[in-house]
Amino acid sequence: MRVEPWREIAKFGRKMVEQGLVGSHFGNISVREGEHIHITRTGSMLDEITEEEVVVVPLQGESPVDSLASTELRVHRRVYAITEHRAVVHGHTPYAVILSFKYDSVKPVDAEGGYFLGEIPVVEGESGSEELAANVASALKDHRAVIVRGHGTFAAGRDLKEAFVALSATEHSCRVLYGLLCLRT
Amino acid sequence: MRVEPWREIAKFGRKMVEQGLVGSHFGNISVREGEHIHITRTGSMLDEITEEEVVVVPLQGESPVDSLASTELRVHRRVYAITEHRAVVHGHTPYAVILSFKYDSVKPVDAEGGYFLGEIPVVEGESGSEELAANVASALKDHRAVIVRGHGTFAAGRDLKEAFVALSATEHSCRVLYGLLCLRT
Amino acid sequence: MRVEPWREIAKFGRKMVEQGLVGSHFGNISVREGEHIHITRTGSMLDEITEEEVVVVPLQGESPVDSLASTELRVHRRVYAITEHRAVVHGHTPYAVILSFKYDSVKPVDAEGGYFLGEIPVVEGESGSEELAANVASALKDHRAVIVRGHGTFAAGRDLKEAFVALSATEHSCRVLYGLLCLRT
Amino acid sequence: MRVEPWREIAKFGRKMVEQGLVGSHFGNISVREGEHIHITRTGSMLDEITEEEVVVVPLQGESPVDSLASTELRVHRRVYAITEHRAVVHGHTPYAVILSFKYDSVKPVDAEGGYFLGEIPVVEGESGSEELAANVASALKDHRAVIVRGHGTFAAGRDLKEAFVALSATEHSCRVLYGLLCLRT
């Protein structure tokens, strides 16, 4: 049975906030369905997404409602254009942001991260910029997650569950690595 | 449709506690409506605000129910008197408090903080004092948030959602910066 | 209107767990009512207290149901015997435990802690021992909260709300102080 | 009255996530009932276990539904084979993982950990491997909890409540010890 995309988005948005990955306003979520993208609005609170808080835009080209969508719409669109992913989550996850100032890629030391994520690239780019869209989408061709320096994590998968796992695993790996770095200094 | 101010206050009070920004008793919230202020009572638990837990006082002058309102009423009143803000939230957010002992202003290094908040001033003043009211209100003329040294954050905006985002963004920026400082030492 | 003691205990037990002060099993709570104490059972989960999970024992002397009560019953009884407090909460709050290895008393540096708690004594004593009961009760004569070295915090007040605030404020003060100590080293 | 095993699993799975011990996907849970094991499916989200998310497999030998069960089924089976435990929980608890890189066993310094857990062994082994099953089961003969290096904690008991307490106590002890190590460096 098809679950409406906004319900899936609402479910995982709530999980992101409740599990301490992000604050209400610090992320966005999309799902691809055929030639359309269902994406959270700009300014949405991820822990209380309703049907009205999700905008449907075409996969390619622009649309009249683009301006209602998350300011990171360009990134989401590009990911779907050049990868096989069907869902993308983004959040300002604190440990990933901290480590992004120190590394050009994060190499998880925990078992789950090493096995499931492999190396996590760190890229650059201004919010909403062409450069950011290109860098994130390119990194997600070969990775489940990518960290934008000083900004947050984008994670992707075949569905929202898989994208959420990648986001959550990335933050866990960064937290463990950060914990070790504090010990070692 | 007008949402009753106490409902908005209850909603964001719960978010503040649930998202780990403050403990139940360590903050207060107000909304301006015309020439009145709706403000949480002294001793209110932010995660269970009811209509009875919100007091309505005049914007200017004093009122018989002033003594029921948060002990920070003076700060809230002053903010509305000299700025355009329509909502104020205050909380004893831990990372902001920690950094306030080290800095005279916090310069976010994360993208969101830099773009949305700019520099966050750190001011001084005893709880409930004239000095605190003057310093906080003055800082909020040009900033979305201000940290009171050793005490907590005041954040403001056109509505409670905007004030809450500013509070949450301030704590996120302080957390990231703190994380980096621990790495560097 | 009288609220049944077990309902108050359930409410604040849930808050302790939900606000990250303790895990389900790492604390106990009591309220004095006249010549009796309502106290959580040994092994109770603080986030799901029901009427059956609260035992009523006499303030003085022993009772047949003593063995069902929290193993810290002796501490609670002694606090009521020699102080004016009407409610006691105890939890294995992590930052208080960490600092207890470093200090013989914690001096809060944050405004709330300094004003509301003053100095927080650190005492010693084995769980369930006479020594622990004597040390904690003695400290709570002049303080709202006391930390047992390597173990956790006992906080007290005129009612559970006040005791909970003292527990929460103690952990906040310890967290801020710990954060500063990590920065300074 | 018998509580259906999947309900107990659902309850403690939710607690593990809500109390910040693990993210939704980073753990698994089982209960032994007679000659069968009730265990979470591979890929289950611990905070929303339903009856369908729990698989029943034989204690000994293999079964057609083995492949639906958690990839750690082999570990759970071995624990029940060589110990008296009736319930096992596993989670990628961050502080245990961090300390596992530093120690060959964790010696709790907090009172609860010292008394209830004693020394917590750290073992090695790839996820799903024979080596992991042997090491974890062997360690749980004499201990309530064991940490797998770089991976997470397995904890066990007479029922899920006891196993959950051991998992929670292990992470608390690791967190306190980690906090002290950061102070000392």
Side-chain angles (χ1 to χ4, degrees), chain A residues 11-12 15 18-19 95 109-112 161 164-166 168-169 172 175-180 182-185, chain D residues 17 20 22-26 43-45 47-48 92-95 97-99 101-102 150-151 178 181-182 185:
Chain A
K11 172 178 165 173
F12 286 99
K15 274 190 200 295
E18 285 176 2
Q19 294 180 28
Y95 289 103
V109 294
D110 65 300
E112 178 93 17
K161 187 172 172 174
F164 172 72
V165 177
S168 180
H172 178 70
R175 186 177 178 188
V176 167
L177 190 52
Y178 177 80
L180 281 171
C182 286
L183 273 188
R184 280 174 189 158
T185 54
Chain D
V17 175
V22 296
S24 292
H25 293 85
F26 304 125
S44 280
M45 291 196 277
D47 50 338
E48 41 182 280
H92 302 177
T93 47
Y95 289 104
V97 173
I98 293 168
L99 291 190
F101 289 105
K102 189 178 170 78
H151 176 174
Y178 176 81
L181 290 170
C182 286
T185 53

Side-chain angles (χ1 to χ4, degrees), chain C residues 24 43 47-48 92 150 178, chain D residues 11 15 19 111-112 161 172 179:
Chain C
S24 292
D47 51 337
E48 41 182 280
H92 302 176
Y178 177 80
Chain D
K11 172 177 164 172
K15 274 191 201 293
Q19 294 180 28
E112 179 92 18
K161 186 172 171 173
H172 178 70

